[in-house]
Amino acid sequence: RRIRASTRSKILQLSKNEEVIGDFETLTKSGSSLICKCPICGEKRKGKGLVVTPAKKMYKCYVCDWGGNNPIKYLCEAQNMKYPDALKYLADKYNIIIEEIKKGPQKKEKIKQNTFRDLQLSQSGLTDEDQKASVTEDEDTQKIVNIFESGTRNEYYQLVEGDDMIIWYYDLEGKPIMYQKPKGGKMEHLYRMRWQNPDLHLDSHGRSMKYQSPGGSGSPLFIPPAIRNAYQEGRQIKRLYLQEGEKKAMKACKHGVMSVGIMGIQNIAFNGKLPYDLQLIIKRCGVQEVIFLLDSDWDHLNSVLKSGMKVDQRPWNFFHAVKNYREYFKTFTNIGIYLEIYFGYLKTEEKGIDDLLNGKLKGKENDLFKDIETSINEKDGCGEYIQLHKISTMADLKLQELWSLHTANGFAEKYKEQLQGLSEFVIGKHKWRFITDPEKIKLENKIIEPTQPLEPDETYWEKYEKLTKTGEVLTSFKFCYSYVYNFLIRRGFGRYKLNDEGSNYIFVRINNNIVETWEAYQIRDFIIEFTEEVCPKEEKKDVMDMLYRGAKMYL
């Protein structure tokens, strides 16, 4: 039997992983997640069974690596249901009437079926009227257009009829933002595609893409109609928000939270410069405060974690995005504009602002205003729904601490629940593992240790004591060159002679059977970072002083 696409979409929209899995397994609360026995490998120890994370709409076993992001996969693979039976199970559970498409000639339906675009707008609390905009067709003509349209792109990169979503970009004057096709192609109206099935659209690394814009089109600013109107009328926007995604910006503007959209957290600027439209808004609308508002998963790790992988990559990406955002906006002081710069995130289970406004705050959207005012005025920036940090003058190290990136041990403490099942993992440039001996944890006041601990002939700082004439014992440290050589060689460092007539060489490191090139300063940083993490607490100050004072000479 064939089921209408709109019915399938409705079933998937209403179904929740935790509710469906809870029909078959006993779920136990563990932080913000739920855990149970894995139906594939049978593992059920804490941190090693099936971890269900409602906020991220996913489930995953960290032993056999099985998981997914919708209940259909769970029912088909874990409960051996066929696809139609799984759909019927969910329809019955959520009281959804299944509309089947009968074979043979059919009369045209009078009732318009919801498209993927309609569902996307509905999930963000936007109506068809909300997304319409008055734009400039030519100097004398204004017209009303759809910012979000149904359609898709074929294999020839042409826009055709289909059930994906096209998002059109217009500038502050309401004119289409144009881009030039690569290799001297013609100018075309910029759009961004929201794919209904991201798994069918992979990037160069094989990762699925939810959104995709044409190659070479850059990262222009998405300007909702409310921002465009305020700019054209010269109205003040005291507080301007930057959010990742067009629908979030549109929904926020609908309720007076004046926001612009960016294509990704790393896309605030393009080629080292802020979008010119953003500069115009700040100047003309008298912006005094800017807030980079992230989703509630701002500090989460990658959804897939495997032993041996670099586990702090995602938090570092977010840190650099926030740091770059601050540095870009500080440059406004060069033209006499002084902005208060904030970064914030949602504290709720809802992922984005649109989810919050269309969920918990539906019908009481003004509560978000009150909460933001509370966050702005409280010393700790803490509201009920929003957490803000004033970062105009915040030091980088203080900013790193928000993700616990300042020390490997602090990072492991913060993410212990997710990392517990890994035999080893990379934090910074080094491999670590959890200490299993409680006495050692207590003695060293750490929960992790290097997977390749320092051997006696690798400990490159040497402690010695000297007795003064007055009988006082002075403790000093000296650097041991031969031991640091042993330390580096055993961790894969060496020199590679270049294939030329001279005696030139480069530094390399063999890491997981991959040869990487390293600069001298990177090796120096590698040693200093490692020393700071493993040096005994009582010796750390003197040893680090020795290294910082003489690192250039020693290394």
Side-chain angles (χ1 to χ4, degrees):
R1 64 192 178 211
R2 295 169 62 205
I3 299 173
R4 296 190 188 283
S6 58
T7 305
R8 285 199 301 270
S9 297
K10 187 176 181 181
I11 290 171
L12 289 172
Q13 181 185 350
L14 294 177
S15 301
K16 294 183 178 179
N17 292 321
E18 63 273 21
E19 292 177 353
V20 176
I21 295 172
D23 290 347
F24 301 91
E25 303 286 351
T26 302
L27 294 168
T28 307
K29 186 80 172 169
S30 178
S32 61
S33 300
L34 301 160
I35 58 173
C36 66
K37 182 178 76 173
C38 175
I40 305 302
C41 69
E43 187 62 64
K44 61 179 179 180
R45 286 179 290 157
K46 185 178 179 182
K48 293 192 175 182
L50 190 69
V51 180
V52 183
T53 311
K56 296 171 75 173
K57 298 181 180 178
M58 64 166 287
Y59 49 89
K60 175 177 171 58
C61 174
Y62 290 94
V63 174
C64 66
D65 209 31
W66 178 82
N69 57 12
N70 67 70
I72 293 285
K73 182 176 182 181
Y74 174 83
L75 293 173
C76 291
E77 297 183 11
Q79 302 303 324
N80 297 316
M81 291 187 188
K82 292 182 179 178
Y83 186 82
D85 296 330
L87 277 176
K88 186 176 185 310
Y89 179 89
L90 294 173
D92 292 342
K93 180 176 177 65
Y94 292 99
N95 299 314
I96 299 169
I97 298 173
I98 290 183
E99 298 179 61
E100 297 180 12
I101 302 174
K102 296 177 182 177
K103 293 181 180 179
Q106 300 289 309
K107 292 182 180 179
K108 287 188 178 180
E109 296 184 27
K110 293 181 181 179
I111 300 174
K112 178 181 176 292
Q113 296 297 317
N114 280 344
T115 62
F116 174 67
R117 171 262 196 191
D118 297 334
L119 291 170
Q120 284 285 296
L121 293 178
S122 175
Q123 287 171 4
S124 291
L126 294 168
T127 66
D128 183 63
E129 193 61 34
D130 292 333
Q131 61 83 44
K132 291 187 180 296
S134 175
V135 299
T136 305
E137 192 169 40
D138 54 49
E139 290 185 4
D140 303 314
T141 310
Q142 295 282 115
K143 68 174 182 177
I144 304 297
V145 299
N146 292 317
I147 300 296
F148 300 88
E149 279 190 337
S150 288
T152 192
R153 193 178 71 186
N154 63 21
E155 64 271 28
Y156 304 109
Y157 292 86
Q158 298 166 329
L159 296 180
V160 294
E161 287 187 10
D163 197 21
D164 293 303
M165 183 169 74
I166 302 168
I167 307 167
W168 295 105
Y169 274 62
Y170 294 87
D171 65 16
L172 285 169
E173 301 299 334
K175 296 177 181 177
I177 293 177
M178 308 298 286
Y179 77 98
Q180 185 175 26
K181 284 189 151 187
K183 298 181 181 179
K186 63 178 182 178
M187 301 295 289
E188 291 195 356
H189 187 180
L190 175 68
Y191 65 91
R192 198 154 79 122
M193 188 68 70
R194 170 58 164 100
W195 300 114
Q196 182 173 183
N197 192 342
D199 291 338
L200 298 179
H201 306 274
L202 306 180
D203 65 12
S204 57
H205 300 287
R207 297 172 300 203
S208 58
M209 294 186 292
K210 277 188 179 181
Y211 291 88
Q212 189 177 17
S213 47
S217 59
S219 303
L221 199 65
F222 177 78
I223 305 168
I227 296 287
R228 187 178 298 112
N229 293 340
Y231 172 80
Q232 291 178 357
E233 295 166 13
R235 283 188 279 115
Q236 185 185 27
I237 300 175
K238 179 184 176 184
R239 189 175 295 149
L240 181 68
Y241 297 81
L242 281 77
Q243 298 194 64
E244 183 186 13
E246 299 86 357
K247 291 186 286 123
K248 290 190 186 81
M250 290 282 280
K251 177 62 173 175
C253 283
K254 179 178 179 178
H255 300 288
V257 180
M258 301 296 275
S259 303
V260 291
I262 55 175
M263 291 185 176
I265 61 167
Q266 305 290 353
N267 298 115
I268 292 173
F270 182 65
N271 288 336
K273 294 182 180 179
L274 288 171
Y276 187 55
D277 281 345
L278 188 56
Q279 300 177 42
L280 293 176
I281 294 167
I282 287 172
K283 284 181 182 179
R284 184 165 185 181
C285 296
V287 175
Q288 298 173 12
E289 300 168 349
V290 286
I291 299 177
F292 186 16
L293 197 56
L294 299 176
D295 291 346
S296 59
D297 62 354
W298 67 284
D299 64 342
H300 291 187
L301 303 183
N302 288 338
S303 56
V304 177
L305 295 176
K306 295 180 181 178
S307 290
M309 76 181 291
K310 185 171 173 59
V311 294
D312 58 348
Q313 186 66 58
R314 190 173 188 273
W316 273 113
N317 287 343
F318 274 83
F319 160 74
H320 285 299
V322 173
K323 178 176 177 282
N324 291 339
Y325 147 75
R326 181 194 62 194
E327 298 308 311
Y328 285 130
F329 279 91
K330 282 171 71 173
T331 61
F332 276 93
T333 58
N334 298 333
I335 55 174
I337 298 175
Y338 298 90
L339 299 168
E340 291 291 3
I341 304 170
Y342 293 84
F343 130 72
Y345 51 86
L346 265 65
K347 295 169 56 182
T348 62
E349 289 184 0
E350 290 88 355
K351 186 185 177 189
I353 277 287
D354 52 344
D355 302 315
L356 175 64
L357 289 167
N358 197 38
K360 193 176 293 181
L361 293 182
K362 191 170 186 177
K364 46 180 181 178
E365 290 85 356
N366 284 340
D367 285 2
L368 183 61
F369 273 113
K370 299 173 187 175
D371 197 57
I372 291 172
E373 285 299 330
T374 299
S375 302
I376 287 279
N377 294 312
E378 288 291 330
K379 188 176 180 181
D380 61 0
C382 187
E384 184 178 355
Y385 309 111
I386 302 287
Q387 172 71 58
L388 293 179
H389 297 280
K390 189 175 179 179
I391 61 172
S392 310
T393 57
M394 184 181 284
D396 288 354
L397 186 61
K398 194 71 177 173
L399 191 59
Q400 288 176 20
E401 289 177 5
L402 298 176
W403 289 269
S404 294
L405 291 166
H406 52 303
T407 67
N409 192 72
F411 187 87
E413 287 275 13
K414 177 178 174 68
Y415 297 102
K416 184 177 180 181
E417 186 178 318
Q418 294 100 306
L419 301 178
Q420 195 73 61
L422 305 179
S423 58
E424 69 173 14
F425 40 86
V426 177
I427 300 175
K429 301 181 184 72
H430 306 276
K431 291 182 178 180
W432 305 90
R433 65 188 173 206
F434 282 103
I435 301 172
T436 54
D437 182 358
E439 288 299 318
K440 189 174 182 182
I441 293 174
K442 190 175 179 181
L443 180 67
E444 297 188 6
N445 195 28
K446 293 179 179 178
I447 63 169
I448 58 172
E449 63 183 359
T451 57
Q452 189 179 358
L454 279 174
E455 298 295 335
D457 64 344
E458 295 176 340
T459 308
Y460 40 83
W461 63 91
E462 187 176 348
K463 182 178 179 179
Y464 66 93
E465 296 175 343
K466 185 169 72 172
L467 193 66
T468 66
K469 292 180 181 179
T470 60
E472 185 182 0
V473 177
L474 292 179
T475 303
S476 298
F477 292 86
K478 65 179 180 180
F479 189 81
C480 186
Y481 291 92
S482 59
Y483 284 5
V484 82
Y485 184 83
N486 294 339
F487 169 81
L488 290 171
I489 289 292
R490 291 170 189 172
R491 281 156 184 79
F493 288 96
R495 292 189 299 180
Y496 182 82
K497 187 179 182 305
L498 296 176
N499 191 19
D500 56 22
E501 295 180 0
S503 57
N504 297 322
Y505 64 86
I506 55 174
F507 288 116
V508 296
R509 185 190 184 196
I510 301 174
N511 188 22
N512 293 331
N513 293 325
I514 296 173
V515 179
E516 307 166 333
T517 59
W518 284 62
E519 298 293 335
Y521 77 89
Q522 292 176 304
I523 302 175
R524 184 166 67 240
D525 291 346
F526 178 90
I527 292 170
I528 289 173
E529 179 188 296
F530 183 80
T531 311
E532 197 157 21
E533 293 287 356
V534 303
C535 188
K537 190 175 181 180
E538 64 276 7
E539 297 180 358
K540 181 178 288 189
K541 180 182 178 299
D542 291 330
V543 171
M544 296 311 297
D545 277 352
M546 176 192 71
L547 280 181
Y548 286 129
R549 186 173 58 246
K552 218 168 189 178
M553 174 178 66
Y554 300 146
L555 305 171

